[in-house]
Amino acid sequence: MGMMELMAVQPRMAAVLDSAVVDGDVRVVATLRALGDHLSLDLMAVDASGGSVNVVDRLGDGFAAVTSPLMDLADEHRAASYVPGAGSWFVGVFTLSVGGGLEVETDFDSAPLTGSYPVARRVDCVRELEMFPRSEANIPGWLAEGVVSGA
């Protein structure tokens, strides 16, 4: 994997995000947090006044048509982002500006923990290092600790 795959994945992510846009949105922001096989998604739309709305709530029963492909593409993006010895990202923020392009920010170090997923479970920490091996110098403290003492 690598840069070519990233170039292929990102337009597909932009297209899925674009499908969630409604009149009045200025941007749609997908925040993905990943650890091992665990992936969580926050999807927000922002209007011109800066107000934001949860896109999943707004889509109602149709949310899976947007969230499922986004989760699959996030898995592909993580794999394509892998740097041998340095791992892949734990937190990815994908911002589609309406009438503009896709901006991507990825974080290879910060714990991907949220209110709904507050603890780095040992099984996920171990799986992460199986999927995306890191040299010792590139294993963040929270991840090393999770491998040893996680629940």
Side-chain angles (χ1 to χ4, degrees), residues 5-29:
E5 287 85 355
L6 280 180
M7 300 303 280
V9 173
Q10 287 179 189
R12 287 157 57 212
M13 292 192 90
V16 174
L17 289 170
D18 189 59
S19 74
V21 169
V22 301
D23 281 353
D25 291 346
V26 293
R27 63 183 178 277
V28 178
V29 184

Side-chain angles (χ1 to χ4, degrees), residues 27-41:
R27 63 183 178 277
V28 178
V29 184
T31 303
L32 289 135
R33 295 178 180 88
L35 184 62
D37 294 314
H38 191 98
L39 188 65
S40 73
L41 167 66

Side-chain angles (χ1 to χ4, degrees), residues 123-146:
V123 61
D124 296 321
C125 293
V126 170
R127 179 74 182 121
E128 177 70 28
L129 293 173
E130 288 171 2
M131 292 168 68
F132 303 115
R134 290 172 174 244
S135 65
E136 213 162 307
N138 286 317
I139 300 177
W142 64 265
L143 181 57
E145 192 174 306

Side-chain angles (χ1 to χ4, degrees), residues 37-81:
D37 294 314
H38 191 98
L39 188 65
S40 73
L41 167 66
D42 287 311
L43 190 56
M44 304 300 288
V46 182
D47 65 24
S49 71
S52 64
V53 60
N54 186 311
V55 172
V56 172
D57 292 345
R58 184 169 79 186
L59 288 168
D61 291 341
F63 77 92
V66 172
T67 57
S68 293
L70 270 182
M71 304 282 261
D72 291 344
L73 288 165
D75 285 337
E76 281 187 51
H77 196 282
R78 285 192 85 214
S81 299

Side-chain angles (χ1 to χ4, degrees), residues 106-118:
T106 54
D107 183 333
F108 280 58
D109 297 308
S110 298
L113 307 179
T114 65
S116 62
Y117 187 57

